[in-house]
Amino acid sequence: MEEELKCPVCGSLFREPIILPCSHNVCLPCARTIAVQTPDTEQHLPPMLQPRGPMPGAAAAGSGPGTGPAVGSVPAFDYECAAGGSGDHADKLSLHSETDSGYGSYTPSLKSPNGVRVLPLVPAPPGSSAAAAAVAPRGAATSSSLTCPQCHRSASLDQRGLRGFQRNRLLEAIVQRYQQGRAAASAKCQLCDRSPPEPAAVLCEQCEVLYCAACQLKCHPSRGPFAKHHLVPPPSLQGAPSGDGGSNSSGASKAVAAVGVGAGGARKFPTCTDHELENYSMYCVSCRSPVCYQCLEDGKHSKHEVKALGAMWKQHKAQLSQALNGVSDKAKEAKEFLVQLKNILQQIQENGLEYEACLVAQCDALVDALTRQKAKLLTKVTKEREHKLKVVWDQINHCTLKLRQSTGLMEYCLEVIKENDPSGFLQISDALIKRVQVSQEQWVKGALEPKVSAEFDLTLDSEPLLQSIHQLDFIQMKCRVPPVPLLQLEKCCTRNNSVTLAWRMPPFSHNPVEGYILELDDGDGGQFREVYVGKETLCTIDGLHFNSTYNARVKAFNSSGVGPYSKTVVLQTSDVAWFTFDPSSAHRDIVLSNDNQTATCSSYDDRVVLGTAAFSKGVHYWELHVDRYDNHPDPAFGIARINVVKDMMLGKDDKAWAMYVDNNRSWFMHCNSHTNRTEGGVSKGATVGVLLDLNKHNLTFYINGQQQGPTAFENVEGVFMPALSLNRNVQVTLHTGLEVPQSVKQLKLPSN
């Protein structure tokens, strides 16, 4: 992350960073040194950059009227703004250009040693207005510009000068925290016996010794002759160190004060740059900057689209976090890819040595006639190995560089997200989001795949006759069984009681594949069984048990045989079932709505509709809410097999187990047998709960949370689907994905 915290001009940690129009950052002192000012008419040095006094030889050269500065002379410039002098003019830089875009059109022709473009010294023609400007007073009209040291885009400057640029308070705070953390890590106890020593906790000003907490209690107790010694925190905890490039603790403390993180002080909210007494409260979408209410009243942003500062802060923070997820995934893939590349290096070395040994043994068997050809073949193998090694090393170096850049950007962005300054965050969020997106786009398709294979697909045929020795060469290897398929874990998933698996063959696999065999166990750690055989590399298996753990594996086959199994992937089906009414199996008079979650009927006769889920194991609970109940009908709720009769009340055949209910009572019914009449009916707004416990093989019903009678049915075994029968006087809505309510669990306790 340190690279993100360094100024591109001085190469040191940022000091009072400002945000340029191109979204890059630069130190304020560095900005003063690279600022270029010229008269409005021509490109030459403005009066503010003229030497304080005449240089030797310069007076004579410029004594005549209309004489410009001597070509080749380099005056000692007076950068008053950099020195903190009284030159207000030197600090008045603006963001205006010919097109009001914030970027100037000037293209500098020279570069300073630090890579920043600067204006060449061009003498003004004698007698010209530019020559007059060279000796004009400080108030003469000049235009100023600042060129970004990273993208080389120029920004013209107005009367506010560098104060027209916004301070990057978040970056200041992050630099401060980074300096303190680095310094704290370097302050170690001077009396510790441990290796490495513990971090220092206090410094004795009289002894001038750093102590950790344990050593301070043991070697420097607060009594006796040590009672009057003054213990203070170590220097690393008192303030930021000077850091790189001469950054001082006073500047760092100012940075902390700017973002309201003073040592023990109250939080100070940043104020508007145009209205110093107003806090930022809104965000101008058009200008992409925080504004205050005074900015809106003055009319500058009156016609712009503005939004609440806090809302935009959260929105941009979410966008940055989302973009970081993609970069984080790519960084993780890159790390795995580097491991893969290093393994390939080892395999290339091992395989190369193996092929060399085989080659030497075969060539030695051909004695003198094969000596010259042996040297040629050895050269081929060596060149192939060196080529592969070179390609892989190039990939490693390239990927390592991109990974370091992405990791540094990630760490910097995470530090930015930790900050609690909405306006400061929004100042840089757009640029950071774009950088993160660009960083993610750098990992193009194929960037994380090896360019070469570790395999040497060469073999030597020693059967040809001696007269054919000069035509001896490598031949392709014979067809072998396919290698191990690679499971694509990011595409493997579960939904309800179905699982989806995806796989692919490893890169640079030259052995043909005719198909794949997918195997799955029974969800209880039992034997594997084949569930799919074919050419597809994506397969979904339905009808599994809920709340079960399945193991899956896959292997490939071709004409040479069956390859080895892949690694085993473990998949957990859902604990609870999410399902709807099934329109494909429902009676034609059933009317479904609300995404198949609400059911009614167009007939006065009872009709059956089933759910889309099938249960054979586990505990399942669902509820049905009575939306409409007219003329005291008898809806029935329960479970059924797939082949239940659908044109009569649920429970009248031997394929369904149900409770039917009117407005006063309820009955259990199976095979047209009515049992256990219980007081308590339904009305509009009532809720009927169905509890199917296939672990104990029983079925229980509830109305408005109250159990209806004893356990309705026992010895319930097999595969069942949720079921309902109703006529046109009833409308119900299904609610699924429910845990068994606590009240239902308590009601069931006596029956256990």
Side-chain angles (χ1 to χ4, degrees), residues 55-169:
M55 296 182 63
S63 60
T67 304
V71 178
S73 63
V74 182
F77 297 120
D78 174 20
Y79 290 107
E80 294 185 46
C81 57
S86 61
D88 264 352
H89 187 73
D91 196 25
K92 294 180 178 178
L93 306 176
S94 110
L95 301 180
H96 295 289
S97 71
E98 303 99 340
T99 58
D100 280 338
S101 64
Y103 301 112
S105 59
Y106 162 65
T107 304
S109 59
L110 297 180
K111 288 187 178 181
S112 67
N114 58 13
V116 181
R117 298 185 180 183
V118 298
L119 184 69
L121 302 178
V122 179
S128 65
S129 59
V135 292
R138 290 180 179 266
T142 61
S143 63
S144 306
S145 64
L146 184 66
T147 302
C148 175
Q150 290 183 275
C151 64
H152 305 298
R153 302 173 88 172
S154 296
S156 300
L157 308 152
D158 65 6
Q159 69 278 5
R160 292 180 300 171
L162 291 176
R163 291 189 296 273
F165 295 109
Q166 295 183 352
R167 286 276 293 274
N168 194 336
R169 298 186 301 276

Side-chain angles (χ1 to χ4, degrees), residues 293-511:
Y293 281 110
Q294 192 66 34
C295 293
L296 302 180
E297 293 177 359
D298 290 348
K300 182 178 179 181
H301 301 274
S302 60
K303 296 183 179 180
H304 292 180
E305 180 185 359
V306 295
K307 293 186 178 180
L309 187 67
M312 291 302 295
W313 173 44
K314 292 180 180 179
Q315 178 182 337
H316 282 229
K317 219 169 195 180
Q319 291 177 1
L320 179 58
S321 298
Q322 184 176 3
L324 276 176
N325 289 336
V327 177
S328 177
D329 293 340
K330 293 299 180 182
K332 182 180 179 181
E333 292 180 17
K335 291 179 181 178
E336 295 174 353
F337 179 60
L338 285 174
V339 174
Q340 181 184 356
L341 289 178
K342 292 178 181 178
N343 290 335
I344 291 177
L345 284 176
Q346 181 64 26
Q347 293 173 13
I348 290 175
Q349 294 282 10
E350 294 175 357
N351 292 342
L353 294 174
E354 178 182 348
Y355 276 92
E356 286 181 359
C358 179
L359 181 62
V360 170
Q362 291 182 350
C363 289
D364 286 343
L366 299 176
V367 199
D368 297 337
L370 294 177
T371 302
R372 291 184 300 272
Q373 194 69 15
K374 179 179 68 174
K376 295 179 182 179
L377 296 176
L378 275 174
T379 302
K380 282 190 177 183
V381 173
T382 302
K383 287 183 177 180
E384 180 69 10
R385 185 184 70 208
E386 291 176 351
H387 170 71
K388 289 177 179 288
L389 292 173
K390 182 179 182 303
V391 171
V392 175
W393 272 117
D394 289 344
Q395 273 197 280
I396 289 177
N397 294 334
H398 181 66
C399 185
T400 302
L401 176 62
K402 291 173 66 177
L403 177 61
R404 184 174 68 252
Q405 294 172 347
S406 297
T407 304
L409 180 58
M410 284 172 52
E411 294 177 354
Y412 171 60
C413 291
L414 290 174
E415 291 297 328
V416 169
I417 291 176
K418 293 178 183 177
E419 294 299 315
N420 293 321
D421 183 356
S423 59
F425 178 85
L426 291 173
Q427 288 175 350
I428 62 173
S429 59
D430 285 320
L432 280 181
I433 292 170
K434 290 180 182 178
R435 288 186 61 193
V436 171
Q437 292 171 346
V438 169
S439 178
Q440 183 178 359
E441 292 171 359
Q442 289 178 353
W443 301 98
V444 296
K445 183 178 180 181
L448 298 182
E449 294 182 0
K451 293 183 178 180
V452 296
S453 169
E455 299 293 332
F456 283 68
D457 297 333
L458 307 168
T459 189
L460 187 66
D461 186 359
S462 58
E463 296 181 358
L465 299 174
L466 290 178
Q467 59 266 29
S468 302
I469 193 169
H470 293 291
Q471 287 77 38
L472 186 64
D473 204 346
F474 293 107
I475 63 172
Q476 292 295 323
M477 299 176 66
K478 294 183 179 180
C479 179
R480 297 184 298 181
V481 297
V484 178
L486 302 177
L487 286 168
Q488 296 181 276
L489 299 181
E490 68 278 5
K491 295 182 179 180
C492 297
C493 61
T494 62
R495 185 180 184 277
N496 269 353
N497 59 336
S498 66
V499 298
T500 299
L501 295 108
W503 59 89
R504 63 179 176 86
M505 296 305 294
F508 307 106
S509 174
H510 302 290
N511 300 321

